Amino acid sequence: MRNLDPKQTTERVIGAGVLVIAVLAPSIFNAFWLDAILTQTLIFGMAAASLIFLSAYGGMISLAQTGLMGIAGYALGNMVSQRAGGESKGLALGWDPTVALIVAIALTICVAFVFGAVASRSYGIYFLMLTLTFGVIANLFFGSVTKLGGFSPIAGIDRYTPGFIGDIINDRNRLYYIALICAAGAYVLIRLLVRTPFGLSLQGIRDEPVRMASLGYTVPLHRMLAFTFAGFLAALAGVLAAWWNGQISPSDLGLVATINLLVMAVIGGLARIEGAWLGAFAFIVINNEVTNRIPADGLWVVGGTFNTVVGLIFLAIVVVSPDGLMGIWDRLWRLPGRRGPTPQVEIESAAGATPT
């Protein structure tokens, strides 16, 4: 077993401490913080992690993750809702919640596979714009097809959950722990995947796609499978977001939501998976503090909107550290008197991977 350097040891200690606090959170924080801040952080952090995974290990910045979240949420809402009261929007199929959950995630994975197949041969700004187009298509599709909901939300999704999930309306702690388990599972899954032959070859493709292709690797296939895996993470986040919010509407997968998710990822740092949850936490806390503490008539100095304040804070973070908050942490370990690895993502050798 290799020895850990001081930076890695410190990070593991901090990670263990954060995990302990997360497990004990219901007895530490009040109901508002637990539900509006921490649960939301876990959910959107998972979506941001899918984006950072593609960026850090695949060299792909995707703007389709919010759209994939929305597809999972809409699929679930259409399948579980019933024709009762305000829940008349969408197909209202009234399916068993467990079946609907599995089908919604599987459907989103299939859509991500198709999106990945189309975008896998594009690079840079072309990949970015193509994935943005996917998100816009998803938004316009669900907003225009009235049979699937239209521009009115599908409500009451949180009333229909599988038996192993239980009542998340009256017991919000239950939803928090479900989100915590999913977020922890997503993090571990990503860390394991990037150490497999597939993950190592994906990192090689990120750095030298032409050279990897000349070595016999099917570059588009690797990129497509990576996009599909990221779609799976986004689907989980989409289902949890629908349960947390209790409804789904086109605005949940619109341009503003897409930008917000990208901001979370950038604030945390696009080079570290941990930055997904750190960025989501920072964004949600800033958004709540600005909304709740600054009076609306006092915002004229900075443009008159809450988004302006959040944007200025985001700009300040990016100017100070282009690698986000995790970049600041990595930079501290490069100060004189400290020793630690560079803040870049570990560049693993793909020599031991098997061509696909």
Side-chain angles (χ1 to χ4, degrees):
M1 181 176 179
R2 64 187 178 88
N3 294 326
L4 298 178
D5 61 56
K7 179 173 180 288
Q8 290 176 313
T9 302
T10 303
E11 288 181 347
R12 294 196 176 191
V13 171
I14 293 174
V18 170
L19 183 59
V20 170
I21 293 174
V23 172
L24 300 177
S27 60
I28 298 175
F29 301 97
N30 59 37
F32 172 81
W33 255 80
L34 189 72
D35 188 47
I37 304 295
L38 299 182
T39 303
Q40 197 177 180
T41 293
L42 293 170
I43 294 172
F44 285 96
M46 196 187 314
S50 72
L51 192 159
I52 292 177
F53 163 75
L54 289 176
S55 173
Y57 297 101
M60 300 173 282
I61 299 180
S62 171
L63 297 182
Q65 304 313 110
T66 304
L68 292 171
M69 288 179 63
I71 290 172
Y74 260 102
L76 182 68
N78 276 282
M79 287 185 284
V80 300
S81 60
Q82 301 177 9
R83 298 285 181 184
E87 302 171 35
S88 58
K89 302 298 180 182
L91 297 176
L93 298 176
W95 285 13
D96 177 78
T98 302
V99 175
L101 174 63
I102 296 172
V103 173
I105 294 176
L107 177 62
T108 307
I109 292 174
C110 292
V111 172
F113 181 84
V114 174
F115 283 178
V118 174
S120 61
R121 297 180 185 275
S122 301
Y123 294 87
I125 188 64
Y126 303 103
F127 183 89
L128 184 74
M129 295 306 297
L130 194 55
T131 54
L132 175 61
T133 301
F134 293 155
V136 172
I137 289 174
N139 172 255
L140 294 178
F141 175 78
F142 288 111
S144 302
V145 181
T146 55
K147 287 187 177 181
L148 297 178
F151 277 96
S152 298
I154 298 177
I157 300 176
D158 53 350
R159 298 181 185 178
Y160 308 101
T161 55
F164 63 88
I165 298 297
D167 182 8
I168 59 174
I169 296 179
N170 298 311
D171 187 1
R172 300 301 282 184
N173 290 359
R174 182 181 295 271
L175 180 59
Y176 168 77
Y177 279 118
I178 293 169
L180 177 60
I181 292 171
C182 290
Y187 176 77
V188 171
L189 194 57
I190 292 173
R191 300 301 298 179
L192 292 176
L193 180 63
V194 299
R195 287 169 170 78
T196 63
F198 170 79
L200 296 176
S201 57
L202 180 65
Q203 294 170 68
I205 290 170
R206 171 201 65 196
D207 298 329
E208 295 287 347
V210 176
R211 183 179 180 183
M212 293 296 288
S214 67
L215 292 174
Y217 292 87
T218 309
V219 173
L221 178 60
H222 279 75
R223 288 164 59 88
M224 178 180 65
L225 293 177
F227 196 93
T228 303
F229 172 72
F232 164 68
L233 298 181
L236 282 179
V239 168
L240 291 172
W243 283 340
W244 177 78
N245 201 31
Q247 62 180 21
I248 183 77
S249 66
S251 62
D252 294 324
L253 54 156
L255 184 59
V256 173
T258 299
I259 294 174
N260 286 345
L261 185 64
L262 180 62
V263 169
M264 292 178 194
V266 174
I267 287 178
L270 289 173
R272 298 280 301 271
I273 295 298
E274 297 86 352
W277 287 276
L278 180 60
F281 177 76
F283 179 87
I284 291 169
V285 168
I286 291 171
N287 199 25
N288 275 274
E289 289 299 308
V290 169
T291 302
N292 296 330
R293 296 186 182 278
I294 301 180
D297 57 0
L299 290 174
W300 63 270
V301 177
V302 291
T305 66
F306 295 122
N307 289 332
T308 305
V309 177
V310 174
L312 290 173
I313 296 174
F314 165 71
L315 182 62
I317 293 174
V318 173
V319 169
V320 172
S321 174
D323 293 326
L325 297 175
M326 290 304 298
I328 296 175
W329 166 257
D330 289 325
R331 193 176 301 140
L332 290 175
W333 282 91
R334 293 198 319 236
L335 293 175
R338 288 185 178 271
R339 296 189 311 171
T342 60
Q344 299 174 352
V345 180
E346 322 139 352
I347 301 178
E348 306 277 4
S349 170
T354 304
T356 301

